[in-house]
C-alpha cells in the first residue's frame, strides 16, 4: 500500500461502526440483506484514522453483502480482548474454500470458485484492508468453511493501551 498517511487519534468504536452502517444501509437494502450492529458499551475508544478504518469496515461489509442471499443477515460487531478491540463482520454466505484462504489478502487475487456475477471487484479490497490494518499495528484474518459463511476479523489498539505504551 506504499506510503500510507494516517491521522491517528482516539476514536469512539461505536461512532466508527455507526458511520459504517449508515454508509452501507442502502446497498444492503437494495440486495434485501439485513445489517445488524452489535456495539460495545459507550466510551470504548481505539487509536485509529477513522476514515481509513471506516474504509476497511465498508470493504468487509460490502463483501459480506455481495456474498449474502436475500433475507440473510450481516453482523458487524466489536468486543474488547485485553488491550485491543476486535472488529468482526459475519455473513451467512457460501463460505470460503480452504485452498483459497491463504490467498485472500493478496493483491489482485480472486477465487476461481466465485460466481461471475460476484467478480465485479478488482481483487484489491482485502489487500488494501490488510495494508491499512497493518499500518495501524493490528491484525486481520478470516474464519470460514464452505457452506457456513465467513467472519472477517481485525484488531486495533485501545486508546488506553496506546497511552500506556507511550508512557513507557
Amino acid at each position: 500500500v506504499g506510503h500510507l498517511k494516517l491521522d491517528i487519534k482516539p476514536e469512539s468504536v461505536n461512532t466508527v461502526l455507526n458511520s459504517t452502517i449508515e454508509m452501507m444501509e442502502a446497498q444492503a437494502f437494495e440486495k434485501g440483506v439485513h445489517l445488524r450492529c452489535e456495539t460495545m458499551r459507550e466510551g470504548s475508544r481505539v487509536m485509529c484514522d477513522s476514515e481509513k478504518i471506516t474504509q476497511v469496515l465498508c470493504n468487509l461489509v460490502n463483501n459480506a453483502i455481495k456474498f449474502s442471499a436475500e433475507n440473510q443477515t450481516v453482523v458487524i460487531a466489536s468486543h474488547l480482548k485485553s488491550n485491543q478491540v476486535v472488529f468482526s463482520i459475519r455473513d451467512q454466505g457460501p463460505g470460503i474454500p480452504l485452498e483459497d484462504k491463504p490467498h485472500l489478502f493478496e493483491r489482485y487475487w480472486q477465487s476461481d470458485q466465485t460466481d461471475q456475477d460476484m467478480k465485479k471487484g478488482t481483487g484489491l479490497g482485502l489487500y488494501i484492508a490488510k495494508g491499512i490494518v497493518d499500518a495501524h499495528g493490528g491484525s486481520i484474518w478470516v474464519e470460514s468453511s464452505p457452506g457456513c459463511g465467513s467472519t472477517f476479523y481485525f484488531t486495533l489498539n485501545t486508546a488506553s493501551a496506546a497511552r500506556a505504551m507511550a508512557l513507557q
Side-chain angles (χ1 to χ4, degrees):
V1 185
H3 301 295
L4 187 60
K5 287 196 187 314
L6 298 175
D7 180 18
I8 295 182
K9 55 186 179 241
E11 296 287 351
S12 159
V13 171
N14 290 348
T15 300
V16 172
L17 289 174
N18 290 332
S19 68
T20 300
I21 296 288
E22 283 176 27
M23 294 170 85
M24 300 307 296
E25 273 176 330
Q27 183 182 341
F29 179 78
E30 195 175 291
K31 179 116 189 250
V33 172
H34 308 285
L35 294 182
R36 188 169 81 225
C37 189
E38 297 173 356
T39 58
M40 299 173 62
R41 62 179 161 59
E42 204 53 54
S44 297
R45 298 171 82 73
V46 288
M47 292 303 292
C48 74
D49 180 322
S50 63
E51 191 176 303
K52 297 283 193 270
I53 292 304
T54 301
Q55 180 184 348
V56 170
L57 284 162
C58 284
N59 177 278
L60 296 174
V61 172
N62 175 52
N63 287 347
I65 291 168
K66 189 169 26 172
F67 289 100
S68 295
E70 193 172 345
N71 285 321
Q72 288 184 332
T73 300
V74 171
V75 179
I76 302 108
S78 62
H79 69 274
L80 203 54
K81 186 175 183 182
S82 62
N83 292 329
Q84 294 187 313
V85 172
V86 180
F87 292 85
S88 61
I89 296 83
R90 185 177 74 234
D91 67 49
Q92 300 168 304
I96 299 166
L98 197 57
E99 65 272 16
D100 287 356
K101 278 195 215 173
H103 305 288
L104 283 178
F105 297 99
E106 292 176 10
R107 191 176 191 169
Y108 302 123
W109 189 85
Q110 290 185 328
S111 173
D112 291 334
Q113 309 288 322
T114 305
D115 167 324
Q116 277 311 111
D117 288 343
M118 302 283 187
K119 280 193 176 178
K120 292 189 175 130
T122 59
L124 286 173
L126 291 175
Y127 172 77
I128 291 169
K130 181 177 179 0
I132 292 170
V133 171
D134 287 351
H136 279 80
S139 306
I140 187 168
W141 70 97
V142 64
E143 291 176 6
S144 178
S145 50
C148 296
S150 302
T151 305
F152 281 81
Y153 298 91
F154 70 92
T155 60
L156 294 175
N157 287 324
T158 62
S160 56
R163 260 195 311 278
M165 284 187 273
L167 295 174
Q168 290 179 351

